[in-house]
C-alpha cells in the first residue's frame, strides 16, 4: 500500500529559513527540513499496482516555469483549537492552475479533490490534539496561546526570496512515530 501526493519540492535555502522559525511552542510538532513541501494534490492510499496508472496520468504534464515566493504565516483551526501552522505563497494562481490540472489528469483514476477549497501552503507545525486543546482552552478564548500569538506577530511580514518552479514531484509518504517520511518517486516533466 502506497500513500501518495503530488507537490512542489522546496530549495534547501527556503527549507532552512523555514526551519529557523521554530520556537518552543507548547503542543507543536514541527516539520523537519526533509518534510517541508507544498502539496498540490493528495492522492491517498493506493495498492502498489496502481502506481503505473499514476505515472501514466502524470506523463506528459507540462509546467510553464514560474517563480514562487513564500510569504505570510497563518493558522488552520481556531485559536482555541489550533491544527496547523503554515506559511503561504504569493503566486497562488499559478499553483492553483497546477492543482486543477493535476486533478483533471487524475480524475479518470477516481482520485477526487478533497472536499475543501484549495489553499496553497507549506505546513510548518502540527498541533497535538487533546493536550493542545486543553492548553488553549485555558487561554483567552479570543486569541491563540501566548507563544503562538507572539510567533504569528513576529513573522507576519515573512517574505523569502523567490525560487523557480519547472516541475512537480510525486511523493510517497510513510508514517513513522517521529512523523511522516516523504520520498520523491517521480518528477514531471521528467528531469
Amino acid at each position: 500500500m502506497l500513500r501518495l501526493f503530488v507537490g512542489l519540492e522546496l530549495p534547501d535555502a527556503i527549507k532552512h529559513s523555514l526551519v529557523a522559525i521554530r520556537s518552543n511552542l507548547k503542543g507543536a510538532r514541527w516539520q523537519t527540513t526533509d518534510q517541508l513541501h507544498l502539496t498540490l494534490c493528495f492522492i491517498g492510499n493506493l495498492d502498489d499496482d496502481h502506481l503505473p496508472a499514476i505515472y501514466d496520468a502524470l506523463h506528459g504534464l507540462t509546467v510553464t516555469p514560474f517563480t514562487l515566493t513564500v510569504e505570510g504565516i497563518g493558522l488552520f483551526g481556531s485559536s482555541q483549537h489550533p491544527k496547523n501552522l503554515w506559511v503561504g505563497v504569493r503566486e497562488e494562481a499559478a499553483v492553483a492552475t497546477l492543482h486543477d490540472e493535476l486533478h483533471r489528469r487524475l480524475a479518470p483514476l477516481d482520485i477526487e479533490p478533497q472536499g475543501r477549497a484549495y489553499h496553497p501552503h507549506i505546513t510548518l507545525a502540527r498541533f497535538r490534539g487533546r493536550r493542545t486543546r486543553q492548553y488553549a482552552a485555558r487561554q483567552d478564548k479570543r486569541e491563540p496561546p501566548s507563544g503562538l500569538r507572539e510567533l504569528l506577530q513576529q513573522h507576519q511580514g515573512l517574505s523569502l526570496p523567490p525560487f523557480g518552479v519547472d516541475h512537480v514531484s510525486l511523493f510517497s509518504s510513510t508514517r513513522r512515530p517521529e512523523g511522516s517520511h516523504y520520498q520523491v518517486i517521480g518528477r514531471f516533466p521528467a528531469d
Side-chain angles (χ1 to χ4, degrees):
M1 183 72 71
L2 294 169
R3 184 175 174 85
L4 302 173
F5 65 91
V6 180
L8 299 179
E9 297 174 75
L10 304 175
D12 287 341
I14 298 295
K15 290 182 182 182
H16 292 298
S17 294
L18 294 176
V19 167
I21 293 173
R22 286 182 176 194
S23 71
N24 211 7
L25 197 58
K26 187 173 182 97
R29 185 178 199 169
W30 292 93
Q31 299 292 95
T32 65
T33 304
D34 293 336
Q35 292 172 317
L36 293 171
H37 67 278
L38 189 150
T39 300
L40 292 167
C41 173
F42 182 72
I43 296 171
N45 295 318
L46 295 175
D47 291 327
D48 295 8
D49 58 346
H50 287 88
L51 191 57
I54 299 292
Y55 279 108
D56 287 346
L58 297 176
H59 181 72
L61 175 73
T62 58
V63 176
T64 302
F66 64 96
T67 58
L68 191 64
T69 302
V70 174
E71 70 176 19
I73 191 164
L75 186 67
F76 288 137
S78 69
S79 52
Q80 293 84 18
H81 304 285
K83 293 182 180 178
N84 292 331
L85 178 67
W86 53 265
V87 292
V89 294
R90 183 181 308 154
E91 294 77 6
E92 288 190 22
V95 175
T97 298
L98 276 176
H99 166 82
D100 294 344
E101 175 63 13
L102 288 165
H103 279 289
R104 187 189 68 71
R105 287 173 168 269
L106 294 169
L109 304 176
D110 294 326
I111 297 168
E112 298 293 327
Q114 293 180 319
R116 57 184 181 262
Y118 179 64
H119 176 77
H121 68 280
I122 300 160
T123 299
L124 295 180
R126 301 177 195 283
F127 291 89
R128 296 186 183 109
R130 187 177 173 159
R131 284 185 294 168
T132 300
R133 291 184 182 121
Q134 288 172 345
Y135 172 74
R138 290 191 302 263
Q139 305 298 312
D140 183 327
K141 297 206 180 285
R142 293 178 304 255
E143 297 186 36
S146 61
L148 181 55
R149 181 178 52 247
E150 291 164 3
L151 182 110
L152 290 170
Q153 288 174 347
Q154 179 183 359
H155 297 287
Q156 68 183 352
L158 176 74
S159 183
L160 300 179
F163 62 94
V165 173
D166 62 2
H167 70 277
V168 300
S169 301
L170 178 63
F171 291 84
S172 70
S173 172
T174 307
R175 291 185 177 167
R176 296 181 177 167
E178 66 275 10
S180 294
H181 170 73
Y182 304 131
Q183 180 179 358
V184 174
I185 59 173
R187 290 186 177 93
F188 305 90
D191 52 4

